[in-house]
Structures are given as structure tokens and as C-alpha cells.
Amino acid sequence: MSTPALVMQPGLPPAARRVRGYFAPVDRLSATPTAFDAAAVASFDPDTPPAPWTDLGWIDDFTRVSETKLQVVESGAPGTVLLQGRQSVGATVSMTFERWSKLTMALTCGAQQTNVLRAGANPVAITAASSTATFLSTSNGAGTIQAGDMIGVDADYNGQTGYLGAGASAAYLATAIGSDPDWIRRMTLNVGRVTAVTATGLQLAEPLLAGVPVQGMQAQSIVALQDREGGTFFQEWSGLFCMQGEQGDALFFYYPRLQTMGGPAEKVVSLTAPLSHVLLSGRFVALPVIDPMDGSQVCCYRTYLPCANAQV
């Protein structure tokens, strides 16, 4: 028996409804981004992205701008184009986040983002050996932490300097400051929501950004999230944006290093009077990385996944 020939379909422009955004940490010490494996796009599940990518939900006003500049070299009289080259490589991307969260606030404010700790609430020590990314084992109870609380999970501050924060760099200190042991937990991006308090620990709604806690970490109650305009620290993250096509195709835009290039800004969208939606506006510059394939400097990658049996 012969294998029946596939019926090929003409390639059509992707028909996508919305854009979905995902962000993951950049190692600030080495400027190493979180990698996106384009070979795995066919199995990419938008609802359960692979760690450490964090789903930030639907985004609006997604705009990509290439700022790469080309330069031509002329020869002869009259001058004719002999060759051209890239004078500079750059790109920017802007968007509006529909979801307010620790990470979207940090991304759009650009500077360090603060956890407002509950007044008088002492941190709770975590037993790392029996904890997971979604369950924090505590040997001495949960203190004042209750189901429904937000918590920050990180180490004590003991005069450390440099980039600080578990999972992702939340702040940078050039010199040691004060003696507040809770300072890192005030800044950390390693946060979560407690869904249940048991006799052995704290159950979380979602995995922590830093994964399984390490020895020395403690959990502390958070009552609010706060950011500010100013300071010397800049947020930097890897960004991945997905446009799922209605015919089974998909577009992926991967930016290895995105750094915020603006201060806090909001977009107000009118609903039924007098109600309005307040959305977070973000604008980012794409920093370059070295592509190990050929040593070229690049700032973004575009990947197209055709639908089944589409003409290539």
C-alpha cells in the first residue's frame, strides 16, 4: 500500500485574537537571559508555560518597533551603492497589561518594587528540606500568617551588597545600608498567596518564582504592593509574547533582555459610567545578546509555527 499524499493548504496570514505575555528572570551578574527553545513551540502550552516563565495574561496595544539602522557604502563617481551594513542594532516594545500584580507593577515602574510588610508581623522560618515550590514547611507554626495572606519569601538582610532577591534580582545595593533584617523581604519578587495554613506549613496558590526555598529563607506577611519613580535600579527581564492563530498556527516574539525605559504610567479605559479600568502601561528597550550559533549581536527573535499541512 502506498501512503496517501498530504493535501497541502495555501499559507494564509495568521488570524489571532489577542497577545499573551510571559516574562522570566535575567541573571544580572552575567547578563544571561532565560532561554526560549524555538524547537519546542509546537508543544508550548499557553496556560502552563515552562518554568521559570511567568504568565502575565492578556496584553493590549502590543507594539514592536525595530530601531536597527542600516548604512550604505558608496563607490565611484557618481556614487553608487557598493554594499550596506548595520550601523546599529536595536528594538523597542510597548504594551498595556490588563493584570495588576507584583511583576507587572515591577515591570512598568522600572525601579525596585516594594512589599509593604504587615506591621508587627514577625517572619516565619521555613524548613527547606521538606518544602516545595508550592508548600512551605514550618517547624514552629505559621505565626500570624493566615489563609488568604500574601507573603514574601526570602533571606534576612545581613549587610549584603550587589543584586539581591531570590529568583530574580529585585534591587541593587552598592554599599550596605542599615540593619533591617526584613529589608530583602521588603523588595523580593519571590512572593505568593497562601491558600491554606496546616499543622505543618503553608500551602500556596502558585509556585514561587525562585522554586523550592533554600535554608535560611523566611516567610513574612504582605499587606500591599508599592512602587516609586526614581532610584538607580532598572528592572530587566526576558520577554516572550505569543499570538495563537485560529487555524492552529502561532507567532512567538522572544526578547532575551528587556529593560524598562519609562516611569510608572497608567491607561484609563472607560466602562459604564462612572466606572473605568485602570491598566498598566509599559515600554521597554531590547538589549543585545550574543547568539551562540554564529556570534552575532541580536536583540529579538520572531518564530512562526505554521498550521498543519500549510505550504512552506
Side-chain angles (χ1 to χ4, degrees):
M1 296 180 60
S2 60
T3 302
L6 292 174
V7 178
M8 304 303 293
Q9 302 294 326
L12 296 174
R17 296 176 184 267
R18 308 181 77 183
V19 182
R20 201 159 175 176
Y22 307 85
F23 283 78
V26 170
D27 185 333
R28 301 298 295 273
L29 286 176
S30 61
T32 302
T34 294
F36 171 64
D37 185 3
V41 293
S43 59
F44 183 84
D45 185 348
D47 295 322
T48 56
W53 291 102
T54 300
D55 179 11
L56 296 186
W58 302 113
I59 57 177
D60 296 326
D61 306 323
F62 178 69
T63 304
R64 289 169 16 96
V65 178
S66 173
E67 297 189 349
T68 296
K69 297 179 181 179
L70 303 180
Q71 185 176 37
V72 299
V73 176
E74 297 181 345
S75 177
T80 57
V81 175
L82 177 64
L83 55 87
Q84 70 169 344
R86 289 180 175 83
Q87 183 181 30
S88 62
V89 176
T92 60
V93 58
S94 59
M95 67 208 69
T96 303
F97 293 99
E98 294 186 359
R99 181 187 302 175
W100 283 67
S101 68
K102 172 71 177 178
L103 184 50
T104 56
M105 288 183 68
L107 287 165
T108 53
C109 82
Q112 66 190 41
Q113 210 267 354
T114 307
N115 304 313
V116 181
L117 302 179
R118 176 173 287 134
N122 294 323
V124 175
I126 297 170
T127 305
S130 50
S131 294
T132 69
T134 56
F135 182 79
L136 307 181
S137 177
T138 59
S139 58
N140 296 316
T144 58
I145 297 175
Q146 300 178 9
D149 284 356
M150 296 183 293
I151 59 171
V153 181
D154 219 313
D156 283 350
Y157 179 71
N158 295 308
Q160 301 96 313
T161 57
Y163 289 108
L164 301 176
S169 298
Y172 181 86
L173 288 179
T175 57
I177 58 169
S179 57
D180 178 8
D182 301 328
W183 191 87
I184 298 179
R185 285 185 291 275
R186 295 182 192 277
M187 306 300 161
T188 188
L189 290 149
N190 198 39
V191 299
R193 175 81 69 175
V194 177
T195 58
V197 177
T198 71
T200 57
L202 309 173
Q203 183 65 50
L204 304 182
E206 296 176 311
L208 292 171
L209 180 65
V212 180
V214 299
Q215 200 62 36
M217 285 188 175
Q218 300 196 80
Q220 199 159 0
S221 294
I222 299 170
V223 296
L225 306 173
Q226 183 182 67
D227 59 35
R228 65 186 187 184
E229 187 162 2
T232 59
F233 178 74
F234 283 86
Q235 295 281 344
E236 185 177 321
W237 293 77
S238 297
L240 176 65
F241 306 95
C242 176
M243 302 176 69
Q244 294 289 129
E246 293 295 305
Q247 305 171 86
D249 49 1
L251 277 170
F252 294 86
F253 305 99
Y254 168 51
Y255 290 84
R257 298 175 63 198
L258 285 178
Q259 199 167 95
T260 311
M261 58 183 303
E266 302 80 38
K267 176 182 178 181
V268 179
V269 179
S270 296
L271 298 173
T272 302
L275 298 178
S276 298
H277 266 152
V278 182
L279 309 180
L280 289 165
S281 297
R283 187 164 181 257
F284 307 88
V285 60
L287 303 183
V289 296
I290 301 299
D291 192 322
M293 183 170 61
D294 59 4
S296 296
Q297 279 197 333
V298 298
C299 57
C300 59
Y301 296 83
R302 180 177 63 182
T303 302
Y304 173 53
L305 176 66
C307 59
N309 301 340
Q311 292 178 343
V312 180

